[in-house]
Every structure is written in C-alpha cells, then in structure tokens.
C-alpha cells in the first residue's frame, strides 16, 4: 500500500515543478505605470508645492450679531393706537448682513479702502493660493468668497467670520474692515427705518390736523348760516316753558282728583278744574307745535338745527381725539428716531494671529493622495470589468 502512495506523491511533485512562473504582462505594467503617473507623481508634486512653494496663511476671527430694541409707545394703552411701535426684525437684518458680507459691493468697498488686490497678491510666486494681478471685480469677488468664511446661525442670528491673508496684519485689517462695513450697513438700515417711521407719523399727523380744521370750519359755517352760537341754549327757553306747562298740568290733575273725592258731580269747582286741565293740554300742544316749527335765522326748524349741531359736535370731538393720538404718535416716533434702535453687537473682536495655521498641508496631501487613489482604483476596476465582459 505504500508503493502506490509514493508514486502518487512523486507524480504531484512533478506537476508542481512543471508550473511556469508568473510573468508580468503588458497590461500589468501599464496598470503599475498608471498608478505612478496618476497617483504617486501628482501626490509628490502636490506635496512639493505645499511644503516648498505655498505661502503661509493667517486668519483673523470675529463674531457679532444684530441687536434690535423693540419700542412700544406708552400712550398706546391710553389712546388705543399703534403709533410708535417698531418690530425687532433681527432675523431679517442678520440675513441681509450675511448676504452683504459675501457680496460684490463689500468687495468693491474694501478694495477701494484696503487694496485687496495687493493684499491677496502679496506672495511672489504662488499659482494656486495667490491672486493674479489685473483680475476683474467678478474674479476678485469669487476669490473673496474663498478667502473669507462666514458661518451664520439663523436661530440666534449670530454671524462668525474668519478672514484669511498672507500676513497676520492683513487678516486683522480685513476682519476689522468687515465689522466696520457691517456696522455702517446696520446704521443705514436703521436710518431708513427711522425715516419711514417719521414719514408715516408725519402723514398721520397732517391728516388728523386737516380733518380737525375741516370740522372746525364746518362748525363755524353752521353758526354763520344759522346765526346762532349754540342751538341747544336757544332751545332751552321753549323747552323750559313746555316743562312748566307740563308741571302745571300735573298739579291740576292732582287737584281735580282731590275735588272729585270730596265733592259731588255738579260742583262748579270740578267744571273749573276740567276747563283748566283742558286749557293746559291745549297750551302744551301749541308749545310743542311752536317748538317743532320754530325756525332759526337760516330758516330751518330748531329741532333739525339742534340735531345737525349735535352731529357736528360728535365729528369735532372724534377729530380732536384723532389729532391727539396722531400728535402722541409723532412725538413717540421723534423720540425713537433720536436713539439708535439697531446696532451691531461684536462679542468677539477681530483676533490677531501669532502663527500661520493654513494651508493645512498634511491634510491637503492626504486628501490629494486619497482622491487620486480612489480615482485610480475606480478606473482600473472599470477597465477589468469591461475586459471580463
């Protein structure tokens, strides 16, 4: 039994010895060459550029928010108007400020005051991070968004800005200029809001004053037309006579009742009392007709004149109250305009860097190598997948 086993083992050894060694074919060499050309060489060039050519970058950080005081007119609770109220508008102001920091307008302002082209073109030779001279404002604005990072917390309205430059002083100057321009913008927005409030309050006051003057003119024309100062006073005389007659009628009815209880039906005193009551009733009817038909100097009945006069008094009182409310609103708007309701609260002033923290050379090298390696692997696997099919 050992002889066949030895023969089988010898046969297997002969076959193993006869296997040809693995030979690198052309495609294998091309794959290795592509790895060198696509991954190693670009990574080496990027490493050489970052450590030998790329200029150091410094950053200056600042953080601020827009504060807005909500103003409420203390007279609103008395007169029941909404004059003098302003909304805070914090989120809206912060949104505007966030867009402004990344806008071309800010780049133009800072380029005029700081010469951004000179600041960002300071490295003698840096084809990637430095700004090439003579670029249009659009390219400068795009480069600005690369060199200035803005983080905006919409919930709290906080804006964090990190400005980069090739010297610590330039980064600090840029951050300070951003804060100054932001403060100028907020002041401009506050001025616009104050002007709008004052204009609205002035218009309300003018309308209320014109209405009050118109009502007073109507009342004066009414008095001139009817040649009477107060129709209510004029109506008191006939009303007094009518009241006296009604009182006499009431007394006569009481006496008639008392006589009826103590005398007989044919008593002359009862007949006399009846004639007195009838006369008083006729007199009261005549006085009422006279009061209804009494005319003023203008020809209208006294009753209609008194009704028109009372209507004019109600309109005049309403116009006076509206004018008082408008005047209070104007005074409140004027007091609000004299103080600053919106302001930029900078809780982290622009910092001054002591060492260059950028560019992140090791991180960029690893990111470059990893990205190229991933690209190369995808390309090789795609080639072999297509080849197998």
């Amino acid at each position: 039994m050992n002889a066949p086993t030895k023969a089988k083992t010898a046969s297997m050894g002969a076959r193993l010895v006869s296997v040809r060694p693995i030979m690198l074919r052309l495609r294998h060499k091309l794959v290795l060459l592509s790895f060198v050309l696509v991954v190693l060489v670009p990574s080496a060039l990027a490493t050489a550029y970052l450590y030998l050519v790329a200029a150091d970058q410094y950053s200056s950080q600042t953080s601020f928010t827009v504060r807005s005081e909500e103003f409420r007119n203390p007279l609103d609770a008395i007169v029941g108007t909404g004059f003098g109220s302003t909304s805070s508008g914090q989120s809206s102001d912060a949104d505007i400020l966030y867009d402004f920091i990344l806008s071309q307008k800010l780049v133009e302002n800072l380029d005029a005051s700081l010469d951004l082209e000179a600041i960002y073109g300071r490295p003698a030779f840096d084809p990637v991070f430095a700004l090439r001279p003579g670029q249009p404002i659009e390219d400068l604005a795009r480069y600005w968004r690369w060199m200035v990072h803005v983080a905006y917390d919409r919930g709290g309205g906080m804006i964090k800005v990190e400005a980069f430059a090739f010297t610590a002083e330039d980064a600090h100057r840029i951050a300070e200029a951003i804060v100054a321009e932001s403060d100028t913008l907020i002041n401009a927005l506050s001025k616009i809001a104050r002007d709008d409030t004052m204009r609205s309050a002035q218009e309300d006051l003018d309308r209320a004053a014109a209405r009050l003057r118109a009502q007073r003119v109507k009342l004066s024309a009414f008095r001139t037309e009817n040649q009477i100062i107060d129709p209510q006073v004029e109506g008191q005389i006939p009303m007094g006579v009518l009241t006296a007659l009604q009182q006499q009628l009431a007394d006569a009815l009481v006496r008639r009742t008392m006589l009826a209880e103590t005398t007989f039906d044919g008593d002359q005193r009862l007949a006399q009392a009846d004639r007195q009551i009838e006369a008083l009733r006729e007199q009261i009817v005549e006085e009422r007709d006279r009061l209804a038909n009494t005319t003023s100097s203008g020809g209208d009945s006294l009753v209609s004149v008194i009704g028109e006069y009372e209507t004019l008094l109600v309109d005049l009182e309403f116009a006076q109250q509206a004018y008082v409310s408008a005047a209070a609103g104007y005074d409140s708007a004027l007091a609000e305009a004299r103080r600053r309701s919106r302001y930029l609260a900078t809780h982290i002033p622009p910092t001054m860097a002591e060492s260059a923290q950028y560019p992140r050379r090791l991180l960029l090298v690893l990111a470059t190598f990893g990205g190229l390696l991933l690209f190369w692997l995808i390309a090789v696997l795609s080639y072999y997948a297509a080849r197998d099919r």
Side-chain angles (χ1 to χ4, degrees):
M1 293 179 64
N2 293 333
T5 302
K6 291 182 180 180
K8 186 177 180 180
T9 303
S11 175
M12 292 179 61
R15 285 199 302 269
L16 290 175
V17 173
S18 64
V19 174
R20 292 181 299 174
I22 298 176
M23 301 296 294
L24 289 176
R25 297 185 179 183
L26 178 60
R27 64 176 182 273
H28 300 152
K29 296 179 180 180
L30 292 177
V31 170
L32 292 177
L33 180 61
S34 65
F35 176 77
V36 173
L37 295 178
V38 175
V39 179
L40 295 183
V41 173
S43 299
L45 293 176
T47 302
Y49 164 75
L50 289 172
Y51 283 94
L52 300 178
V53 179
D56 292 337
Q57 295 182 20
Y58 299 82
S59 69
S60 178
Q61 299 179 1
T62 182
S63 183
F64 47 81
T65 185
V66 180
R67 292 296 181 186
S68 180
E69 299 177 0
E70 184 175 357
F71 171 71
R72 186 68 61 181
N73 183 11
L75 294 177
D76 290 349
I78 301 176
V79 299
T81 62
F83 296 106
S85 61
T86 58
S87 60
S88 61
Q90 177 178 347
S91 298
S92 177
D93 293 339
D95 291 337
I96 294 173
L97 190 58
Y98 174 75
D99 292 336
F100 176 72
I101 295 174
L102 298 176
S103 67
Q104 180 175 319
K105 178 60 178 177
L106 177 61
V107 176
E108 293 176 353
N109 295 344
L110 296 187
D111 188 37
S113 59
L114 300 179
D115 193 2
L116 294 179
E117 185 174 348
I119 291 176
Y120 290 136
R122 193 176 299 278
F125 178 75
D126 192 342
V128 176
F129 293 108
L131 177 68
R132 295 190 302 274
Q135 297 297 312
I137 188 63
E138 291 79 9
D139 292 343
L140 182 58
R142 284 192 291 270
Y143 185 82
W144 169 265
R145 299 184 189 99
W146 187 33
M147 297 295 287
V148 175
H149 296 171
V150 183
Y152 174 34
D153 181 10
R154 296 185 180 274
M158 185 181 302
I159 298 177
K160 297 179 181 179
V161 179
E162 186 174 11
F164 299 91
F166 298 104
T167 65
E169 292 76 12
D170 288 340
H172 184 72
R173 289 170 56 202
I174 292 174
E176 286 184 332
I178 292 174
V179 174
E181 290 290 335
S182 300
D183 187 67
T184 301
L185 176 63
I186 294 302
N187 290 338
L189 294 176
S190 299
K191 184 178 183 302
I192 293 174
R194 289 195 300 268
D195 292 343
D196 290 342
T197 302
M198 287 300 301
R199 181 169 57 252
S200 177
Q202 185 66 52
E203 292 175 355
D204 292 339
L205 181 60
D206 293 341
R207 284 195 298 268
R211 184 176 184 178
L212 180 60
R213 286 194 297 268
Q215 292 300 323
R216 287 178 175 175
V217 169
K218 288 182 180 180
L219 184 60
S220 177
F222 169 82
R223 287 170 174 170
T224 302
E225 179 182 357
N226 294 277
Q227 295 183 1
I228 189 171
I229 300 299
D230 192 347
Q232 293 177 344
V233 176
E234 293 290 333
Q236 289 178 357
I237 296 176
M239 286 298 298
V241 174
L242 183 60
T243 302
L245 290 175
Q246 290 176 341
Q247 181 64 39
Q248 292 178 12
L249 177 61
D251 293 340
L253 290 173
V254 171
R255 288 195 300 270
R256 171 69 173 72
T257 302
M258 294 175 63
L259 285 174
E261 293 177 353
T262 57
T263 60
F264 54 90
D265 294 337
D267 196 331
Q268 293 295 326
R269 290 177 295 178
L270 287 178
Q272 183 179 1
D274 291 337
R275 289 193 298 270
Q276 184 181 7
I277 291 173
E278 184 65 22
L280 286 174
R281 287 175 174 173
E282 293 177 356
Q283 186 67 28
I284 289 175
V285 172
E286 292 178 1
E287 290 296 331
R288 287 178 177 174
D289 294 338
R290 185 181 297 109
L291 180 62
N293 297 324
T294 299
T295 58
S296 63
S297 300
D300 296 330
S301 65
L302 188 59
V303 174
S304 62
V305 170
I306 292 176
E308 184 179 357
Y309 179 74
E310 290 177 347
T311 301
L312 290 175
L313 287 182
V314 171
D315 293 340
L316 179 62
E317 183 179 0
F318 184 80
Q320 288 175 342
Q321 292 178 354
Y323 178 77
V324 171
S325 300
Y330 179 80
D331 293 339
S332 300
L334 183 62
E336 170 66 11
R338 290 176 178 173
R339 67 187 184 92
R340 189 178 181 184
S341 59
R342 289 191 184 102
Y343 59 93
L344 193 72
T346 305
H347 49 275
I348 299 181
T351 58
M352 176 68 74
E354 295 183 356
S355 61
Q357 301 295 321
Y358 300 91
R360 306 283 190 181
R361 291 179 171 86
L362 180 59
L363 181 61
L364 291 176
V365 168
L366 294 177
T368 301
F369 179 79
L372 293 174
L373 180 60
L374 181 62
F375 171 77
W376 177 81
L377 289 174
I378 293 175
V380 171
L381 292 176
S382 299
Y383 165 74
Y384 275 102
R387 181 175 178 276
D388 291 340
R389 290 184 182 180

